[in-house]
Amino acid sequence: MKLFFSHRWDRSSGQGKTVKYQTFEEDAPGTVIGNLAKDITSSPSSSGGSRTNFRMMKQFNSSFIRLRESDGQLTIGERIDRERICKHTLHCLIAFDVVSFSKEQFKLIHVEVEVKDINDNSPEFPRKESSLEISENTAVGTRIPLDFAVDEDVGVNYIQSYQISVNSHFSIDVLSRADGVKYAELVLMKELDRETQASYALELVAMDGGNPSRTGTTRINVKVKDYNDNSPVFDRNSFSVDLPEDAPVGFLLLDLNAEDPDEGLNGEVVYGFGNQVPPEIRQLFRVDRKTGRLTLESPIDFESKNTYEFDVQATDLGPNPSPAICKIVVQVQDVNDNAPEISITPMTSITAGIAYITEAAARESFVALVSTSDRDSGANGQVHCTLYGHDHFRLQQAYEDSFMIVSTSPLDREKIPEYNLTVVAEDLGSPPFRTITQYTIRLTDENDNAPVFSKPVYEVAVVENNAPGAYITTVVARDMDMGSNGKVSYKLADTYFMGSPISTFVSLDPASGSLYALRSFNYEVMKQLELRITASDSGSPPLSGSANVYVRIVDQNDNAPVITQPARDADEGVNSELSYGLATGEPSVFSVNKATGEIYLNQVLSHEVDETLSVTVIVSDNGRPALTSTATLHFLIIAGSPPSDRTVYQSGGGDEVHAQWDLSVVIIVVLAGSCTLLLLAIILIATTCNRRKRDKSGEDSDSYGEKGTLERSRNHGYSTLPGYGNGKEAVRPITIWKGNSYTTISARDPAFSGKDSGKGDSDFNDSDSDVSGDTGLKKDGAVVPPMGGQSGKG
């Protein structure tokens, strides 16, 4: 069968397009109707170069038409019976909507497929045989309605003519009703004579206009009856009545009247429907047999049928009656009794009643198709549609009674994730009918937000000497996106501190943002640790943000005072504030300034030359608990003038008074000058003492070896602690947190503090503060002998 294709583009204010095709009913499934891709390409307004896909929006009559989404080819889905889907409608359309999309471009196409009729139905009469009784005195030209045939086809394939078999008295006249139905009336062409011929057998043939033509036949048996001279006569031969579709049952349409001049039963008139009136009319209307009142029997609906045509006949009760016929046409008037209907088809949806659109959609993006309809006609069927809820979306007319919901401005899911809109459809009737539908538009997330830290700079404090793996703080970054777009992970920036990677000092949990120490911090080595942390989401591509973390090391009182000249403490603040006191010795002879550590003589010395005086000084800091160190000082009594760089003080009323010479030296000089014998004795004793001192000096030199010697107190008058050891950089183990366990490595500290042995806090017994007055001071591998040992007299 030959197939016809045509297309026509219609434009409206909504940029909608309509393409029209034609196909014939009963075509085999798979028959190609048209190809939207080719037709769109051939349109001057179409753009080429990108692949276009198609998607059917409406699913009405989806079984009849199939759409191939790759190129828009339309084919027959199943055999189409035009008579079943369109009945007597002249134009039979299967309409649906298709969206074509390529990249980010979406276009709406309205497709109308006209199903053309084929002559697949023959005319049929309701009865194969019927009978008529006609009085022999019936006037020439009298018309008698006949059964009309029914043909399901339309147009030229519908009934075009009637024919009657050849006879001597009758012919037919073909007429058309107001609804387009053709029928035949039997016309008496010659007077009847029952005595000559009492009956006639006629064959009525109905023919359609198909090629080839189809026909239907019925048999008419005409019986000639004896006459009743006069027949009833109606006031008018036809009436046309307007009937509102909301008319109640019992509504009076007409009050018919027919007169018969005969007397008795021959003049008594009764009314009723003609024999050819179908059951549908008899169910809707009623004619009172005696009065002729035509009333409404059942409710009618303009949307079902708007025109009815039928015959009412009047018959007398005499013998051989000849009925009179009155033609009635009822025009049903539309009343606004139907509310508009709304159908919303989203572009993308995984949930009924919800349309989805990305928050990155551009302005004027197509979201959903709103289709409206109203079964009423005229103004009662004209629909006005309005969208309420939010000005981010509006309605844009696509074509006729269809509208597109489109976006009006950029969208942001983090501000408004969902829109609850209201679609109101209202007809133009009086009063109008209104239909309200709620609809939801939900935004899908795009990775358009970077993680943001709760604050740009974190300042935390960690007390020194912490355990490796100790918790420091937790940084928090939030991402307003959803799913993987909002899943945040943390990373430590690759920086260096004191020559080592920052990752050897701290570790960062990438999931929680918790920061842990990898080593024990030493305030005396570093005061502050600066970090930079980056938070990244899991979007594609990922977005990130950063924050600075300043870790301040808090000092602990972990260093005892070191006695030098003057004493010092490696700590800071109150932990390094020192006070001095005497632990052992002769408090009557010596005193110490608590703040400066200066030692004073409290009285004139009465000791012998070369006699040694010892005093132990204790130094304490103000930490809690306080740490202390001690040192023993040995003073050797000598003869002669005091060294030029030494000044002797004595206390007197709180004021320091400058003394001229040591009193013991003066006594020795006086005695030497007054008594020669005594002087000789003193010289002999002095000579013996000098010999012993030389012997002792050789022994001390051998015992000290390469570890170093301490200057004799004879030269300086007092002793002090030695300095730090050899000054070499210390090597110690470092514990690093890796994943769920600790790993210990050997690493050289960036800066090694010589404040203690490295085995812990500088307690009293640490090597940096352990002082023994008898055995000497051990410091960094050097053993310092005590001063002022009694090796002999000099």
Side-chain angles (χ1 to χ4, degrees):
M1 179 175 292
K2 187 176 180 181
L3 220 61
F4 296 90
F5 303 90
S6 69
H7 69 275
R8 177 173 63 85
W9 295 97
D10 292 335
R11 296 182 179 273
S12 67
S13 60
Q15 301 300 319
K17 298 178 176 62
T18 300
V19 60
K20 296 185 177 182
Y21 296 96
Q22 292 182 352
T23 186
F24 286 99
E25 64 172 328
E26 303 298 335
D27 279 346
T31 301
V32 176
I33 299 174
N35 188 291
L36 291 175
K38 293 179 180 179
D39 293 337
I40 291 176
T41 302
S42 63
S43 173
S45 61
S46 300
S47 60
S50 60
R51 180 178 177 84
T52 302
N53 291 330
F54 299 83
R55 184 177 301 166
M56 184 179 291
M57 296 293 292
K58 286 190 176 181
Q59 298 301 317
F60 308 128
N61 299 326
S62 61
S63 61
F64 294 132
I65 306 295
R66 293 283 187 268
L67 171 66
R68 190 162 65 191
E69 295 188 354
S70 61
D71 61 357
Q73 178 174 292
L74 299 172
T75 56
I76 299 296
E78 66 180 32
R79 289 186 179 274
I80 302 174
D81 185 353
R82 185 187 184 283
E83 286 72 33
R84 182 169 65 88
I85 64 174
C86 294
K87 294 186 177 180
H88 296 287
T89 306
L90 186 59
H91 295 285
C92 182
L93 296 178
I94 298 177
F96 53 91
D97 296 293
V98 173
V99 170
S100 67
F101 55 96
S102 60
K103 294 183 178 178
E104 298 299 325
Q105 298 297 320
F106 298 88
K107 295 181 180 179
L108 182 66
I109 304 170
H110 184 63
V111 180
E112 294 179 356
V113 178
E114 181 181 4
V115 181
K116 304 293 289 184
D117 183 51
I118 64 173
N119 193 21
D120 58 342
N121 292 279
S122 298
E124 291 184 2
F125 287 90
R127 297 179 291 181
K128 294 297 182 182
E129 188 172 357
S130 61
S131 298
L132 291 177
E133 291 185 352
I134 301 177
S135 176
E136 63 178 341
N137 66 337
T138 300
V140 174
T142 299
R143 294 172 175 267
I144 302 170
L146 300 176
D147 289 343
F148 56 88
V150 175
D151 192 339
E152 297 295 334
D153 296 323
V154 297
V156 296
N157 295 325
Y158 179 68
I159 298 172
Q160 299 297 315
S161 64
Y162 288 85
Q163 292 182 356
I164 195 170
S165 59
V166 178
N167 65 90
S168 58
H169 286 76
F170 300 93
S171 66
I172 60 171
D173 188 11
V174 180
L175 303 173
S176 296
R177 297 192 324 191
D179 57 0
V181 174
K182 291 189 176 184
Y183 63 98
E185 289 184 346
L186 189 65
V187 181
L188 182 62
M189 304 298 296
K190 185 179 179 180
E191 290 182 352
L192 297 174
D193 185 358
R194 190 190 64 82
E195 287 72 16
T196 303
Q197 187 173 351
S199 64
Y200 297 88
L202 307 176
E203 186 178 72
L204 181 63
V205 178
M207 295 174 293
D208 62 26
N211 186 16
S213 176
R214 289 175 176 265
T215 62
T217 305
T218 184
R219 181 183 177 86
I220 304 173
N221 296 316
V222 179
K223 180 180 179 182
V224 180
K225 296 181 62 175
D226 198 13
Y227 69 94
N228 180 8
D229 289 345
N230 293 286
S231 298
V233 177
F234 281 99
D235 296 339
R236 292 169 53 184
N237 292 331
S238 62
F239 291 92
S240 180
V241 180
D242 291 336
L243 177 64
E245 66 170 324
D246 60 349
V249 174
F251 181 82
L252 177 64
L253 282 79
L254 288 171
D255 189 357
L256 299 173
N257 181 55
E259 300 291 341
D260 191 323
D262 293 331
E263 294 182 349
L265 294 177
N266 290 338
E268 187 176 340
V269 179
V270 291
Y271 304 89
F273 289 113
N275 294 331
Q276 296 76 26
V277 174
E280 176 191 16
I281 299 297
R282 298 176 185 270
Q283 293 173 0
L284 292 175
F285 304 99
R286 178 178 181 272
V287 177
D288 188 276
R289 176 177 172 81
K290 292 185 177 180
T291 64
R293 290 168 59 89
L294 178 63
T295 57
L296 186 65
E297 182 72 8
S298 300
I300 57 173
D301 186 6
F302 173 86
E303 287 70 40
S304 297
K305 191 173 183 179
N306 55 20
T307 302
Y308 297 93
E309 184 174 339
F310 52 90
D311 295 332
V312 176
Q313 65 181 17
T315 307
D316 61 35
L317 298 179
N320 303 318
S322 180
I325 303 298
C326 181
K327 190 175 297 295
I328 307 297
V329 177
V330 178
Q331 298 286 351
V332 181
Q333 301 299 309
D334 182 46
V335 174
N336 193 22
D337 59 348
N338 290 282
E341 296 178 0
I342 300 176
S343 172
I344 303 179
T345 306
M347 175 61 193
T348 304
S349 179
I350 56 176
T351 307
I354 300 177
Y356 290 85
I357 183 172
T358 174
E359 64 174 326
R363 186 175 177 270
E364 301 294 332
S365 291
F366 170 66
V367 180
L369 177 67
V370 179
S371 300
T372 62
S373 62
D374 194 314
R375 298 180 60 202
D376 295 320
S377 64
N380 296 332
Q382 295 180 13
V383 179
H384 176 70
C385 200
T386 309
L387 182 67
Y388 297 96
H390 206 283
D391 57 5
H392 281 178
F393 297 92
R394 67 179 178 87
L395 282 181
Q396 178 176 308
Q397 189 168 19
Y399 57 88
E400 297 177 356
D401 295 329
S402 294
F403 304 85
M404 294 184 294
I405 299 179
V406 297
S407 60
T408 61
S409 59
L411 306 173
D412 188 350
R413 187 201 64 82
E414 288 69 39
K415 292 182 178 178
I416 305 178
E418 185 175 283
Y419 295 84
N420 294 314
L421 305 179
T422 301
V423 180
V424 178
E426 186 176 74
D427 60 33
L428 301 183
S430 181
F433 272 84
R434 177 182 299 170
T435 299
I436 300 175
T437 298
Q438 303 293 330
Y439 202 72
T440 299
I441 296 177
R442 189 168 293 168
L443 302 187
T444 57
D445 185 55
E446 293 288 339
N447 191 23
D448 56 351
N449 288 278
V452 177
F453 282 91
S454 57
K455 48 187 176 181
V457 176
Y458 291 81
E459 295 182 352
V460 294
V462 176
V463 179
E464 67 170 332
N465 303 317
N466 58 285
Y471 170 79
I472 298 176
T473 189
T474 298
V475 297
V476 178
R478 305 293 185 190
D479 194 312
M480 296 175 66
D481 294 321
M482 294 178 61
S484 60
N485 293 335
K487 185 178 181 181
V488 178
S489 60
Y490 303 88
K491 183 180 179 182
L492 198 61
D494 295 330
T495 58
Y496 283 80
F497 182 74
M498 299 177 64
S500 298
I502 200 70
S503 58
T504 65
F505 290 86
V506 295
S507 68
L508 178 67
D509 189 324
S512 67
S514 296
L515 196 65
Y516 301 91
L518 291 180
R519 61 171 68 179
S520 180
F521 298 141
N522 189 344
Y523 175 82
E524 288 69 38
V525 175
M526 61 180 182
K527 303 297 188 290
Q528 181 170 282
L529 191 61
E530 297 181 6
L531 314 172
R532 188 166 184 82
I533 297 177
T534 300
S536 301
D537 58 33
S538 300
S540 181
L543 301 177
S544 62
S546 62
N548 292 329
V549 180
Y550 297 101
V551 181
R552 180 171 57 86
I553 311 302
V554 179
D555 183 44
Q556 274 190 324
N557 189 21
D558 58 348
N559 290 279
V562 177
I563 299 177
T564 63
Q565 185 178 357
R568 67 175 180 84
D569 192 312
D571 294 321
E572 288 192 357
V574 295
N575 295 332
S576 64
E577 295 177 0
L578 304 179
S579 60
Y580 302 84
L582 294 178
T584 62
E586 301 180 20
S588 61
V589 178
F590 299 101
S591 63
V592 63
N593 187 304
K594 182 178 181 181
T596 65
E598 295 177 341
I599 298 176
Y600 303 93
L601 282 173
N602 291 334
Q603 64 184 18
V604 175
L605 296 177
S606 60
H607 297 73
E608 296 179 358
V609 175
D610 287 343
E611 184 177 352
T612 301
L613 298 179
S614 298
V615 63
T616 300
V617 179
I618 183 169
V619 184
S620 303
D621 59 28
N622 289 333
R624 291 188 179 183
L627 299 180
T628 63
S629 292
T630 60
T632 300
L633 282 75
H634 303 280
F635 296 92
L636 179 65
I637 306 300
I638 62 173
S641 300
S644 61
D645 60 345
R646 296 290 183 266
T647 304
V648 179
Y649 294 91
Q650 63 180 7
S651 60
D655 296 331
E656 296 180 349
V657 180
H658 201 278
Q660 294 180 356
W661 290 103
D662 191 305
L663 181 60
S664 62
V665 177
V666 175
I667 294 174
I668 293 173
V669 173
V670 173
L671 290 176
S674 62
C675 184
T676 303
L677 183 61
L678 182 60
L679 180 60
L680 293 174
I682 293 174
I683 294 173
L684 179 62
I685 293 172
T687 304
T688 304
C689 290
N690 288 335
R691 185 182 302 111
R692 290 181 179 179
K693 289 177 181 178
R694 284 192 296 270
D695 295 339
K696 182 64 178 177
S697 177
E699 292 176 0
D700 290 343
S701 176
D702 294 337
S703 65
Y704 293 162
E706 295 179 355
K707 296 181 181 178
T709 59
L710 184 67
E711 293 183 352
R712 298 288 294 169
S713 295
R714 182 182 302 274
N715 297 328
H716 295 286
Y718 64 94
S719 70
T720 62
L721 291 176
Y724 291 133
N726 54 19
K728 294 182 180 180
E729 199 173 59
V731 179
R732 63 171 180 171
I734 296 177
T735 304
I736 299 177
W737 177 261
K738 290 189 176 180
N740 299 319
S741 65
Y742 291 103
T743 301
T744 303
I745 63 173
S746 294
R748 189 173 302 275
D749 277 345
F752 181 78
S753 171
K755 66 183 180 182
D756 57 27
S757 63
K759 296 181 180 179
D761 294 339
S762 297
D763 296 328
F764 180 77
N765 291 324
D766 281 354
S767 62
D768 58 356
S769 63
D770 188 7
V771 177
S772 176
D774 296 331
T775 62
L777 177 64
K778 183 179 181 181
K779 180 66 176 180
D780 293 336
V783 178
V784 181
M787 296 182 62
Q790 301 294 326
S791 60
K793 300 285 184 181

